[in-house]
Amino acid sequence: MGKTLLDVSDLNIEFHDHQAPERVVRDFDLLMEEGEIVGLVGESGSGKSMSAMAIAGLLNRHEIEKTGKILFDGTDLLHCSREKLRSYQGSDISIVFQEPMTSLDPVQKIGRQVEESLKIHHPDLSEQERQNRMLKSLSDAGLPDPAGVAREYPFELSGGMRQRVMIAAAMIDDPRLLIADEPTTALDVLIQEQIIELLRRINRERGTAVLFISHDLSLVNRLCSRVLVMHHGKVIETGRSSEVFQNPNRDYTKKLIASIPRVNLQRPRDNDRDVHPEVSPAPTGKNALSVKDLSVFYTSRGKGFFGRTQKTEVVHHVSLDVGEGEILALVGASGSGKSTLARAVAGLNPLHTGTIELPDGRPQMVFQDPYNSLNPAYTIRWLLEEPLRLAGVNDEKERKKRVDEMMELVHLDKTLGDRYPSQLSGGQRQRVCIGSALMQKPKLLIADEPVSALDVTIQVEILSLLKRLQRELGLAVLFISHDLRTVWQLCDRVAIMKDGLIVDQGDVDEIYLHSQSEYTKQLLQAACIVRREEQ
């Protein structure tokens, strides 16, 4: 048994900024050894991030009460002086958050932000010494051309590069504990795999202990030696990852594990039309969408006050069809052009050449983050009525009737109509977004990463809803995703995008089982989907 690095016992966190105190973490215990990788899993609101923030010393507002002990190398971080706590932050304990764009200063160059910890903890270092360590940290994080990256601003980097920058900043002072809070959630499978491998290498080469927080249980199972499962602020199950994932004891843990999308290439997929012949739409041979030779452009202004407007081609001569009642997946790494293509189809980007044929009229779109898609100032009923008002439905009774029918269709209780988006769960908000998109009865729905920001159990609910709507309404869906396991379960056909081009396209079974595309094989391998000939 190794030396104990972190010993958290009886940690309770209570908020006092509401009418009644709210305890968000209850009797939390965690023991970590030096060099250990421990996973912390649970749904949103379970207390994972609050526990991590307390360990990192980032919950210091006066309305938050913390009790218990957080012993780091023998020092109680809950009860030590602010000066003592600061000496550990960024030096011995570092944290990486889910969305680097909210953590990085948009007006500061990358190099200055990465070396910030050295300025605080090592003021005796010369500027050249700080710069050398900053460049080495960027290089160690796997960033090509560290000197070039150091001169860039956050918005000039891709999502994967920004996350590597955050890890470089966290590791620059060689901390003994790295807290990674959902560091891969918004990333595609190839970048996810790179970040996971980077964390493994940091742990292996530096002996850094890692507390890995995620709702992606498959990643936790691959990376972590032990796992803690949280529910309603409490740790309800803990043990070695292999044991917990193979033989969970608690019903909640079993529910989480059962929600992990699975791919079994050794047997055919369930055919939904065979399972539900009475409601499943038969193929009509007609298309809800036909895209031919489509190129899509963005404009951007060059650097400097007098920079010229530049036109950049992002999608190159793409052709694809979505049949009536079909779900077509559009898959590819971040920056491949998936969302750009979708926005052009939805009429949100008019800068394109080629043809977009929509025989049944304009499609509707559902976005990744339901909270940012809904106006927080209006009630759910008002938001659902808005598409009808825009369509010229002026009869208030008719609008109410149509909204009631839609809420029933997407399985939303009618009592939620008077609530605001902030009063709904993530899954309920996404159901509102889907209901709003369907109010004008489109034949084509574009779903752009509609479940990637949701917990695994909520993902299952939303995917089941989309499948049911496809069956009952004969709805065609262009489903944009980087999760190949979800695509296997949900979609009829798949198109693979890379660098603005369609590089592979066909039935899901055929692509997963027999594709000869090296890029498709890379995506499948990154998602741990192993084909028969590769076993």
Side-chain angles (χ1 to χ4, degrees):
M1 188 171 179
K3 180 182 176 183
T4 297
L5 176 68
L6 178 68
D7 184 359
V8 183
S9 58
D10 297 320
L11 175 64
N12 286 269
I13 302 173
E14 194 170 88
F15 281 75
H16 292 269
D17 54 353
H18 301 291
Q19 288 184 340
E22 179 184 6
R23 185 165 295 186
V24 295
V25 174
R26 302 169 181 272
D27 305 320
F28 178 87
D29 294 333
L30 169 62
L31 196 67
M32 286 186 70
E33 297 176 4
E34 290 186 336
E36 188 178 21
I37 305 181
V38 176
L40 190 56
V41 304
E43 294 176 297
S44 297
S46 63
K48 309 186 301 296
S49 294
M50 285 295 110
S51 303
M53 297 274 278
I55 293 169
L58 299 178
L59 295 181
N60 296 306
R61 303 202 312 267
H62 69 276
E63 67 269 18
I64 300 175
E65 180 183 345
K66 305 180 295 294
T67 59
K69 289 184 178 180
I70 301 176
L71 299 178
F72 183 81
D73 204 20
T75 299
D76 189 349
L77 302 183
L78 269 189
H79 300 100
C80 66
S81 66
R82 285 293 302 146
E83 183 179 1
K84 183 71 172 176
L85 179 61
R86 287 194 191 100
S87 71
Y88 285 104
Q89 293 172 321
S91 178
D92 291 283
I93 304 173
S94 285
I95 189 165
V96 177
F97 295 102
Q98 174 178 342
E99 179 44 70
M101 273 303 279
T102 61
S103 303
L104 293 169
D105 187 334
V107 298
Q108 290 281 348
K109 292 185 178 181
I110 294 299
R112 292 178 63 87
Q113 298 189 60
V114 172
E115 66 180 42
E116 184 67 23
S117 178
L118 296 180
K119 292 180 179 179
I120 296 172
H121 296 286
H122 301 281
D124 55 318
L125 288 177
S126 69
E127 183 177 350
Q128 186 61 53
E129 287 173 323
R130 286 200 311 269
Q131 188 173 54
N132 290 341
R133 287 180 62 172
M134 175 268 293
L135 293 173
K136 184 178 186 303
S137 192
L138 289 172
S139 177
D140 289 346
L143 284 158
D145 186 19
V149 170
R151 293 191 294 270
E152 301 281 7
Y153 291 94
F155 71 88
E156 296 178 293
L157 304 179
S158 68
M161 292 177 73
R162 286 194 292 264
Q163 196 61 283
R164 287 175 181 273
V165 165
M166 290 300 300
I167 293 174
M171 293 303 301
I172 194 168
D173 207 17
D174 210 12
R176 299 168 67 189
L177 172 64
L178 176 65
I179 300 172
D181 190 357
E182 300 277 10
T184 63
T185 296
L187 304 177
D188 63 67
V189 287
L190 291 177
I191 305 301
Q192 278 187 2
E193 186 61 27
Q194 292 171 13
I195 297 300
I196 292 300
E197 184 52 42
L198 174 58
L199 292 175
R200 282 199 191 99
R201 181 163 58 81
I202 288 170
N203 170 258
R204 183 175 62 249
E205 295 178 358
R206 302 193 186 188
T208 306
V210 181
L211 179 60
F212 184 75
I213 303 167
S214 180
H215 67 244
D216 189 330
L217 279 74
S218 60
L219 286 181
V220 171
N221 192 25
R222 288 160 51 197
L223 178 67
C224 305
S225 58
R226 287 193 301 120
V227 62
L228 285 74
V229 182
M230 291 194 74
H231 185 47
H232 293 327
K234 287 184 66 71
V235 174
I236 62 166
E237 189 161 357
T238 184
R240 298 201 62 80
S241 297
S242 56
E243 296 171 359
V244 171
F245 281 93
Q246 291 175 15
N247 299 295
N249 292 318
R250 302 294 296 270
D251 288 341
Y252 176 73
T253 309
K254 293 176 182 178
K255 180 183 176 184
L256 284 180
I257 294 172
S259 300
I260 302 173
R262 286 175 169 79
V263 176
N264 185 353
L265 298 183
Q266 304 302 316
R267 54 186 252 183
R269 296 186 302 150
D270 292 334
N271 189 314
D272 193 67
R273 291 191 174 89
D274 293 339
V275 176
H276 302 278
E278 71 286 358
V279 294
S280 299
T284 65
K286 298 179 181 178
N287 289 327
L289 168 67
S290 292
V291 172
K292 292 182 175 63
D293 198 32
L294 180 69
S295 294
V296 187
F297 305 84
Y298 274 136
T299 57
S300 59
R301 187 175 295 279
K303 293 185 178 180
F305 186 79
F306 296 103
R308 292 184 177 181
T309 299
Q310 301 171 335
K311 189 177 180 181
T312 305
E313 186 175 328
V314 181
V315 174
H316 317 292
H317 305 288
V318 163
S319 296
L320 59 81
D321 299 322
V322 182
E324 289 184 350
E326 178 186 49
I327 303 181
L328 172 71
L330 193 56
V331 173
S334 299
S336 62
K338 306 186 302 295
S339 295
T340 300
L341 188 153
R343 290 176 67 84
V345 170
L348 300 177
N349 186 348
L351 293 175
H352 59 77
T353 60
T355 60
I356 300 172
E357 297 179 8
L358 295 160
D360 298 306
R362 182 175 172 176
Q364 294 295 315
M365 200 161 181
V366 177
F367 295 96
Q368 176 177 350
D369 187 346
Y371 192 76
N372 288 331
S373 301
L374 299 171
N375 191 323
Y378 293 99
T379 66
I380 300 307
R381 179 169 293 280
W382 191 97
L383 292 168
L384 288 172
E385 283 189 18
E386 180 64 3
L388 298 177
R389 284 189 287 267
L390 294 174
V393 181
N394 297 318
D395 188 316
E396 189 174 343
K397 289 184 178 179
E398 175 64 16
R399 291 202 306 266
K400 183 180 185 304
K401 174 176 172 291
R402 298 261 295 268
V403 167
D404 287 344
E405 290 172 349
M406 183 56 67
M407 293 184 75
E408 183 176 353
L409 182 66
V410 298
H411 289 183
L412 277 172
D413 193 297
K414 293 177 186 177
T415 59
L416 299 177
D418 295 327
R419 296 190 185 182
Y420 293 87
S422 62
Q423 297 173 301
L424 270 57
S425 69
Q428 288 172 331
R429 287 194 289 262
Q430 196 61 291
R431 288 173 184 272
V432 173
C433 291
I434 293 171
S436 178
L438 295 177
M439 288 304 297
Q440 295 184 9
K441 300 182 179 178
K443 287 296 184 180
L444 174 65
L445 184 70
I446 301 174
D448 191 357
E449 300 278 9
V451 298
S452 63
L454 303 175
D455 298 315
V456 286
T457 52
I458 308 301
Q459 286 183 12
V460 171
E461 294 177 9
I462 298 302
L463 294 173
S464 298
L465 172 62
L466 288 173
K467 195 68 175 175
R468 181 171 61 81
L469 292 172
Q470 180 219 13
R471 292 196 311 263
E472 295 179 3
L473 304 178
L475 189 67
V477 182
L478 179 59
F479 184 80
I480 301 169
S481 179
H482 61 246
D483 187 340
L484 287 110
R485 295 173 179 274
T486 295
V487 168
W488 171 265
Q489 292 191 333
L490 180 71
C491 302
D492 302 301
R493 290 191 304 118
V494 58
I496 309 290
M497 285 196 78
K498 180 175 186 272
D499 298 331
L501 297 166
I502 299 287
V503 298
D504 210 356
Q505 188 172 181
D507 291 342
V508 169
D509 305 68
E510 183 65 24
I511 295 297
Y512 278 50
L513 289 164
H514 305 300
S515 173
Q516 298 304 306
S517 165
E518 289 301 319
Y519 183 67
T520 301
K521 292 177 183 178
Q522 289 176 23
L523 290 177
L524 292 169
Q525 289 168 358
C528 294
I529 299 172
V530 182
R531 303 195 306 182
R532 193 176 294 111
E533 64 266 26
E534 296 165 348
Q535 291 179 330

